[in-house]
Amino acid sequence: METEPPEAEPAGGTLPDCLVGNWVVSDAELNAYYDAVAANIGDGAVTFDTVDTVGTPGITFTETEYVYSGDFTLIVSLAGQTGSGVATGSAIGNYTVEDGIIRSELVSSDLGIIVTVGGAT
C-alpha cells in the first residue's frame, strides 16, 4: 500500500511567516524577468543581452503588506548597444496566503524607468 509523503514546510517557517523580512532581487532574477519582457514583446524585436544592477532592488514583507523598492540603475546590453535604465519609485500592496498560494493586490505605485541606449532616451 502506498502512502502520500507528508507535506514539507517551507524553509524558514510557514507561509506567510517565511516571507516576512527584507528580500533582494538578484541580477539573475532581473535577467529572467527581462527575458520574459522581451519574449512578450514578440517577433524578437527586443532582446536584452545582459542586465546588471547598480543599487539593490528589493522587496520588504510584513505580515500583510509588501513594499517593492525600484531605486536602482540597470546596465544593459541591448542588441549590441550598451545602455542604462534608471529605475525609481516603489510599489505598495497587500497580500494573503491561502493553501500555499500568495495573492497580492497593488495599492499604489510610482514606479518609473528611463532607459538610454546608444545615446537615445
Side-chain angles (χ1 to χ4, degrees):
M1 170 185 264
E2 289 185 30
T3 60
E4 292 292 318
E7 277 193 58
E9 293 254 327
T14 60
L15 287 173
D17 294 338
C18 69
L19 290 176
V20 173
N22 299 314
W23 297 82
V24 174
V25 181
S26 71
D27 285 353
E29 291 163 325
L30 280 174
N31 273 294
Y33 172 78
Y34 283 102
D35 285 347
V37 168
N40 284 322
I41 292 172
D43 296 332
V46 174
T47 59
F48 294 94
D49 299 327
T50 58
V51 176
D52 295 311
T53 59
V54 176
T56 307
I59 188 166
T60 299
F61 287 93
T62 68
E63 287 79 13
T64 59
E65 298 176 326
Y66 68 88
V67 176
Y68 170 78
S69 172
D71 294 327
F72 60 95
T73 300
L74 298 173
I75 307 301
V76 299
S77 176
L78 177 62
Q81 296 286 322
T82 300
S84 65
V86 178
T88 60
S90 62
I92 301 168
N94 301 313
Y95 76 95
T96 59
V97 178
E98 185 175 323
D99 296 328
I101 297 172
I102 301 169
R103 298 187 196 288
S104 64
E105 173 187 25
L106 181 64
V107 174
S108 66
S109 174
D110 65 353
L111 289 172
I113 187 166
I114 298 173
V115 178
T116 304
V117 176
T121 300

